[in-house]
Amino acid sequence: MQFDDDIRACAEFVERVDPERFQAAMAAPIEARLKLFVIYAFYGELSRAPWASQESMIAEMRVQWWRDIGDDIAQGRAPKRHYVATPLARILSAELAAEVDAMAEARRWDIYRDPFADEAGFDHYMDKTAGSVMWLSARSLGAADEDTVRAIGYAHGLSNWMRAIPALEKARRVPLLDGTLDGVQALAARGLDRLSQARKKRNKISTDARPALMAAWQAQGILEQVYREPQRVAEGELVLSEFSKRFGLLWRSTTGRW
């Protein structure tokens, strides 16, 4: 795979809208990096599609566009020319491309203001958004156990969700089933448990696939912060020190551990 204009545009987009994933991709080997830029750019475009307009019909059309792209790739058809869709078709297998439909369907929650129906609904959203992008990334790079990868993706997604709660509430969304301090703390504990259980199965993730997991390099630190001080979620003060962030990513990139 070559670093062409499309991939360069993907990298620039990821750097702008998702700098933490960009940093994680930059820490990966070059061949893995090219694929990660494309998959992260796809995820960034899909993630912002529901917020493209205050008109729900327009937002639905934007989400549907990506469902159609996923279907084209899954069916072996060339997707419409697009700086992300075109290289994405070269990366995703038909099986992985079939995941796009469920990812887009989950993103429809962002369009409306209904709360999650229950814990299963919340978990499904996390799995089909953050869990799926990590699965697409890992499996595109090498052999990996899907349940293990998705558990890491869930923890990563949850850590990002906790940081996004003030903005979601400002946008009149209902991000949590239980917004009490106890409820927030319990949710962080669930994320930490999934991360812990996944780490016991490190041998199920091939060396080639491991760079995809570096995207979650801050998940444990953020979730531990939420567990210790759940009030920081509402205050929008979930941050790690620059030293912790840089050392954490450097350690993972040099050791291959997550």
Side-chain angles (χ1 to χ4, degrees):
M1 194 169 183
Q2 303 269 328
F3 200 98
D4 58 18
D5 288 343
D6 284 339
I7 295 178
R8 186 173 294 106
C10 287
E12 290 172 354
F13 174 72
V14 176
E15 183 178 22
R16 186 171 69 254
V17 305
D18 197 344
E20 292 177 0
R21 279 193 174 89
F22 177 80
Q23 291 175 59
M26 287 297 292
I30 183 66
E31 185 60 30
R33 189 183 308 167
L34 302 184
K35 293 180 179 180
L36 293 175
F37 282 148
V38 175
I39 293 172
Y40 293 164
F42 153 67
Y43 188 62
E45 289 281 16
L46 177 61
S47 298
R48 70 177 189 168
W51 305 91
S53 172
Q54 295 292 324
E55 294 292 332
S56 60
M57 184 177 295
I58 295 175
E60 288 273 14
M61 290 171 63
R62 290 287 298 271
V63 172
Q64 182 62 46
W65 193 88
W66 284 105
R67 298 181 88 157
D68 293 343
I69 293 296
D71 184 62
D72 283 340
I73 298 173
Q75 298 301 322
R77 299 187 296 265
K80 297 174 183 176
R81 171 79 186 111
H82 184 270
Y83 84 102
V84 176
T86 300
L88 190 68
R90 301 199 302 266
I91 293 173
L92 297 186
S93 65
E95 181 181 3
L96 289 178
E99 296 281 342
V100 173
D101 189 70
M103 295 174 72
E105 175 62 25
R107 280 294 172 189
R108 292 181 65 245
W109 182 91
D110 298 327
I111 299 174
Y112 304 101
R113 292 173 180 158
D114 299 325
F116 291 104
D118 50 28
E119 186 176 290
F122 179 84
D123 286 351
H124 179 79
Y125 177 91
M126 283 295 149
D127 179 57
K128 294 306 178 183
T129 54
S132 286
V133 70
M134 188 156 282
W135 171 237
L136 295 187
S137 303
R139 190 64 190 89
S140 294
L141 298 183
D145 176 69
E146 184 170 0
D147 289 343
T148 303
V149 171
R150 286 187 177 276
I152 301 163
Y154 180 96
H156 181 214
L158 184 58
S159 68
N160 286 341
W161 190 257
M162 292 292 191
R163 290 188 286 177
I165 282 174
L168 288 167
E169 290 181 336
K170 186 177 181 179
R172 298 171 64 189
R173 301 306 192 267
V174 185
L176 296 173
L177 291 162
D178 181 355
T180 66
L181 295 181
D182 287 345
V184 169
Q185 189 176 54
L187 189 55
R190 284 173 52 207
L192 288 167
D193 181 65
R194 291 200 184 199
L195 197 57
S196 176
Q197 294 303 314
R199 283 175 171 156
K200 294 176 182 178
K201 301 175 183 178
R202 282 190 175 95
N203 62 344
K204 292 189 174 185
I205 310 294
S206 69
T207 300
D208 288 342
R210 288 178 188 173
L213 309 183
M214 285 195 293
W217 97 90
Q218 295 186 69
Q220 180 174 343
I222 293 294
L223 292 176
E224 286 178 344
Q225 198 172 90
V226 174
Y227 185 78
R228 291 193 307 267
E229 302 174 83
Q231 73 279 1
R232 297 185 69 155
V233 173
E235 295 166 355
E237 295 182 354
L238 294 173
V239 292
L240 300 181
S241 69
E242 282 301 313
F243 173 80
S244 295
K245 289 191 290 186
R246 292 184 182 185
F247 177 78
L249 183 57
L250 177 63
W251 183 80
R252 284 163 177 77
S253 65
T254 54
T255 65
R257 294 177 70 85
W258 39 272

